[in-house]
């Protein structure tokens, strides 16, 4: 009898333990404005930055300028070997003296032949030849004069001078190097207005017109200034596909050239940003490469998985482009312990 009772007990079906009803926190989603104002890393640059180079080529024998050095207008920055240009200038000066002598001789001859013509000793054709010789001598003298000026200028071009007061931001050539005419030797940031330069994507162009005010924060000390957009690139960069924006800093701002700052767009200037649904990042779950959330079915008090598309982040919240509608109740805590169709109870709800 005992054995039969045990056999019957083993064959009887087991009672399934009901899945516990989990208490969850919910949020009722609704579209709202984005808090992100758009922050970009920018660099402080001089409004006018010149790449200075020699107007003639040659071997550079000295370079007085160094990166970071402050220079004055007219200060000597570098020098190339002037020997060949001095020799050429001396030759041009000698040619000028010779041409001047020929001019004087031709003028004297013309004066004598004019007297002889008036006395009837020479023909009109001979006088015309002397007049032509005088004109040619004067033309050669003017040519030699111009050539002498050019050679003198080239001799002076062997000295590279600062075209204004400023700071040397980079050095591109060293003493002993043979440089070509026009080849950059130093880069000079002239004193005066300062700009912050940064790049933005195409969707922000409507928000960055000339005259728009942006906030600039220095990384070093946290000081904040207002800057006005003065120029937006008309074409995108071929590699990054972004547009360069330049904003003018006020006169009282004196950041270090080349320093990094943060540029923030003001919410009042942002255009084209319609209200969007946002969720806390801890409400998201990833499964098989897809992002989803648990949505409450208030009729049966169960949860179901809902796939969503996330476009960007707004602070600590994810911006949802598709998958949810205003009024949906989404689980925001304990998302990794729930299963599809599981019954839940509401612990708390917020909007």
């Amino acid at each position: 009898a005992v054995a039969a009772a045990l056999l019957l007990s083993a064959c009887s079906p087991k009672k399934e333990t009901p899945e516990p009803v989990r208490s969850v926190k919910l949020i009722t989603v609704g579209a709202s404005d984005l808090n992100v104002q758009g922050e970009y890393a920018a660099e402080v640059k001089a409004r006018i930055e010149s790449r200075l180079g020699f107007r003639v080529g040659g071997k550079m024998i000295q370079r007085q300028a160094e990166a970071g050095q402050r220079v004055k207008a007219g200060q000597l920055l570098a020098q190339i070997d002037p020997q060949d240009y001095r020799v050429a200038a001396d030759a041009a000066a000698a040619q000028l003296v010779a041409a001047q002598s020929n001019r004087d001789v031709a003028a004297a001859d013309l004066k004598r032949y004019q007297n002889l013509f008036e006395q009837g000793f020479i023909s009109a054709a001979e006088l015309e030849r002397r007049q032509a010789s005088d004109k040619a001598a004067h033309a050669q003298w003017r040519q030699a004069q111009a050539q002498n000026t050019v050679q003198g200028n080239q001799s002076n071009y062997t000295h590279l001078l600062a075209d204004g007061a400023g700071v040397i931001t980079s050095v591109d050539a060293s003493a002993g190097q043979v440089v070509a005419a026009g080849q950059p030797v130093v880069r000079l940031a002239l004193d005066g207005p300062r700009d912050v330069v940064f790049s933005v994507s195409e969707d922000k162009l409507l928000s960055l017109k000339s005259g728009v005010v942006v906030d600039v924060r220095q990384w070093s000390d946290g000081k904040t200034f207002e800057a006005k957009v003065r120029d937006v690139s008309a074409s995108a960069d071929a590699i990054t596909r972004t547009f360069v924006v330049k904003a003018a800093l006020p006169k009282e701002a004196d950041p270090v050239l080349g320093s990094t700052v943060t540029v923030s767009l003001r919410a009042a200037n942002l255009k084209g940003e319609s209200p969007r649904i946002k969720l806390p990042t801890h409400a998201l779950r990833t499964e098989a490469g897809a992002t989803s959330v648990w949505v409450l079915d208030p009729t049966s008090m169960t949860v179901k998985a809902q796939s969503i598309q996330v476009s960007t982040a707004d602070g600590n919240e994810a911006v949802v482009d598709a998958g949810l509608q205003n009024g949906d109740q989404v689980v925001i805590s304990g998302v990794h312990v729930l299963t599809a169709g599981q019954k839940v109870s509401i612990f708390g709800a917020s909007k």
Side-chain angles (χ1 to χ4, degrees):
V2 174
L6 292 174
L7 183 59
L8 292 175
S9 176
C11 295
S12 61
K14 295 182 178 179
K15 294 183 179 180
E16 295 183 359
T17 303
E19 190 172 1
V21 176
R22 297 190 178 276
S23 179
V24 296
K25 292 183 178 180
L26 302 175
I27 181 173
T28 303
V29 299
S32 60
D33 294 332
L34 297 182
N35 295 324
V36 175
Q37 298 181 355
E39 292 189 348
Y40 302 90
E43 182 181 1
V44 177
K45 292 186 176 182
R47 178 76 55 84
I48 302 176
E49 188 170 282
S50 303
R51 294 185 177 183
L52 303 181
F54 294 100
R55 298 173 68 172
V56 293
K59 181 179 180 180
M60 191 163 65
I61 57 176
Q62 288 184 343
R63 192 201 68 209
Q64 290 82 355
E66 298 293 343
Q69 177 183 353
R70 175 166 288 279
V71 297
K72 300 178 180 179
Q75 182 173 336
L76 181 63
L77 303 179
Q79 183 180 1
I80 62 176
D81 188 358
Q83 185 62 31
D84 293 342
Y85 295 100
R86 287 176 181 173
V87 172
D90 293 340
Q95 290 176 355
L96 177 61
V97 173
Q100 186 172 354
S101 298
N102 292 335
R103 180 203 64 176
D104 295 340
V105 170
D109 288 345
L110 178 60
K111 185 176 181 180
R112 286 194 300 269
Y113 275 85
Q114 283 178 340
N115 292 332
L116 292 174
F117 175 76
E118 292 173 357
Q119 296 175 10
F121 292 116
I122 61 173
S123 64
E126 184 63 26
L127 179 62
E128 290 176 356
R129 282 194 293 270
R130 295 300 171 178
Q131 290 175 340
S133 297
D134 181 69
K135 290 181 180 179
H138 275 77
Q140 290 175 356
W141 172 75
R142 288 193 296 271
Q143 180 183 9
Q145 193 177 39
Q147 188 66 26
N148 181 61
T149 302
V150 170
Q151 293 298 334
N153 289 341
Q154 288 191 340
S155 181
N156 294 330
Y157 293 156
T158 58
H159 294 74
L160 182 62
L161 306 178
D163 54 1
V167 178
I168 302 297
T169 57
S170 69
V171 175
D172 302 323
S174 301
Q177 182 177 344
V178 176
V179 296
Q183 178 180 340
V185 175
V186 297
R187 185 177 298 179
L188 175 62
L190 298 178
D191 291 341
R194 297 288 186 257
D195 290 340
V196 289
V197 182
F198 57 101
S199 299
V200 300
S201 56
E202 184 177 355
D203 61 331
K204 292 296 187 293
L205 289 181
L206 293 176
S207 305
L208 290 169
K209 299 294 184 181
S210 180
V212 169
V213 178
V214 296
D215 295 320
V216 179
R217 185 178 71 254
Q218 296 184 166
W219 284 17
S220 57
D221 53 13
K223 288 184 179 179
T224 302
F225 305 98
E226 290 185 351
K228 286 186 177 181
V229 175
R230 70 173 188 86
D231 182 65
V232 180
S233 176
S235 60
D237 183 88
I239 299 176
T240 62
R241 307 309 302 169
T242 56
F243 295 80
V244 176
V245 180
K246 297 179 181 179
L249 287 169
K251 294 182 178 180
E252 60 271 15
D254 190 22
V256 179
L257 283 175
S259 61
T260 303
V261 296
T262 299
V263 176
S264 301
L265 307 185
R266 295 184 174 181
N269 296 328
L270 288 175
K271 297 179 180 179
E273 297 289 354
S274 58
R276 312 277 278 281
I277 292 177
K278 296 179 291 183
L279 290 175
T281 54
H282 53 264
L284 309 183
R285 53 190 296 269
T286 302
E287 186 175 350
T291 302
S292 63
V293 293
W294 292 114
V295 177
L296 176 68
D297 181 358
T299 304
S300 61
M301 290 303 292
T302 59
V303 293
K304 63 177 181 179
Q306 178 64 48
S307 297
I308 61 173
Q309 293 181 2
V310 178
S311 60
T312 184
D314 184 13
N316 292 325
E317 295 181 312
V319 179
V320 180
D321 276 350
L324 293 176
Q325 297 180 354
N326 292 339
D328 286 345
Q329 292 181 301
V330 178
V331 178
I332 61 173
S333 65
V335 296
H336 299 292
V337 296
L338 298 176
T339 58
Q342 183 173 357
K343 284 188 172 293
V344 295
S345 61
I346 300 175
F347 175 79
S350 60
K351 294 187 178 179

